[in-house]
Amino acid sequence: MPFSRWLQDVAVFCFSVMAPYACSAEAVSLLQDNTFASHRSALVQIGANAAPSDTGLQRAPSLFAGRSGNSLFAPSPDRIELASAAMPIGLNSSAVQRLRHIIGQAESRRNGYDAVQHGATRRPADRPTNMTIGEIYQWIDDTPGQPHAIGRYQFIPATLRRLVNELGLPPSTRFSPHVQDQLADILLAEAGFHAANRGDMGRHEFMNNLAKIWAGLPNSTGRSHYHGYAGNAASISWASFDAQMSEIFPG
């Protein structure tokens, strides 16, 4: 057999026998890459939630949207919707704890986690932190026609239900300080905490986003984003807000 023919036969044999294994090995190594696999669910989630536009922004409801049946407050402007489950803030984060404190100052300074909006004439039967989420829902349903903002972060019904659903909490869950913090952390992420923490979002932009969620915080005009609606007004000054935030996000 000529040497050239022998080389051709060997090449054909090698291709027919070895190619399937080579292709299989490449496929396995690609699909089983740990880094890719660990982020795939987050990528799918973000892709599914993304708005059909070039901006990649999704309209997220304000904390104060839907306070009543006719909604006294319009949805807040578009902002980046973060996959909070894929990007956890971390309950032990010093920055987050300080942010919660600032919001608590503005929203519920006197009663903290047991705060109930002062306009609620028919109060819950117990302290909010002693109640289950199901009991709070029942109080809301049983007392129509009044404000229902509750807890340290003054969650209104529509926002409370949305956040509870996002965390998958059953109605039997106690409305404890820990649970309230977890719910608020979703809102912090939606406002851009991760971007601000990385330095990709300016402090004042983040502050203005927070003011669109919590009416007790001022925006850069010095007034509440919801000033005049249902008696809302900022309860701290912009200067005080900025001074506290600059300790968390300098620069």
Side-chain angles (χ1 to χ4, degrees), residues 13-247:
F13 171 80
C14 288
F15 179 81
S16 62
V17 173
M18 299 303 296
Y21 293 98
C23 293
S24 175
E26 182 180 357
V28 170
S29 63
L30 175 63
L31 296 177
Q32 290 187 347
D33 178 84
N34 291 334
T35 302
F36 177 82
S38 66
H39 294 290
R40 185 177 184 279
S41 61
L43 292 172
V44 170
Q45 182 176 3
I46 292 171
N49 291 338
S53 69
D54 293 335
T55 63
L57 297 179
Q58 179 182 17
R59 183 171 298 277
S62 162
L63 177 64
F64 294 90
R67 180 185 288 273
S68 67
N70 296 323
S71 181
L72 295 175
F73 304 96
S76 68
D78 287 340
R79 61 178 182 264
I80 295 174
E81 183 77 22
L82 296 176
S84 55
M87 302 181 69
I89 285 180
L91 294 174
N92 295 322
S93 167
S94 173
V96 173
Q97 290 175 356
R98 293 164 77 178
L99 273 173
R100 294 177 189 149
H101 175 72
I102 294 171
I103 296 165
Q105 278 186 313
E107 294 291 327
S108 57
R109 183 175 303 179
R110 180 177 299 176
N111 295 315
Y113 292 101
D114 285 315
V116 177
Q117 217 271 1
H118 60 83
T121 56
R122 289 173 286 176
R123 315 287 284 185
D126 203 346
R127 294 167 56 181
T129 53
N130 288 338
M131 299 173 69
T132 66
I133 290 172
E135 289 170 337
I136 291 173
Y137 286 169
Q138 190 63 55
W139 166 67
I140 292 169
D141 292 342
D142 290 345
T143 58
Q146 67 169 15
H148 295 101
I150 193 167
R152 186 187 194 188
Y153 308 102
Q154 290 293 275
F155 301 107
I156 62 168
T159 302
L160 179 62
R161 292 180 189 274
R162 175 176 73 85
L163 299 177
V164 165
N165 287 340
E166 286 194 26
L167 286 182
L169 302 177
S172 58
T173 304
R174 188 167 63 87
F175 195 55
S176 65
H178 175 73
V179 165
Q180 293 184 40
D181 287 346
Q182 286 185 307
L183 298 174
D185 286 356
I186 297 176
L187 296 175
L188 291 178
E190 291 176 353
F193 172 83
H194 298 292
N197 203 40
R198 291 192 306 265
D200 296 336
M201 177 184 288
R203 181 175 75 247
H204 288 175
E205 181 181 355
F206 182 42
M207 290 167 63
N208 280 320
N209 284 348
L210 292 173
K212 294 169 188 173
I213 297 175
W214 284 284
L217 295 172
N219 59 26
S220 52
T221 69
R223 304 202 307 181
S224 169
H225 187 76
Y226 304 98
H227 183 82
Y229 290 95
N232 279 306
S235 58
I236 61 176
S237 69
W238 175 261
S240 174
F241 187 22
D242 192 34
Q244 294 181 76
M245 291 291 286
S246 66
E247 295 179 359

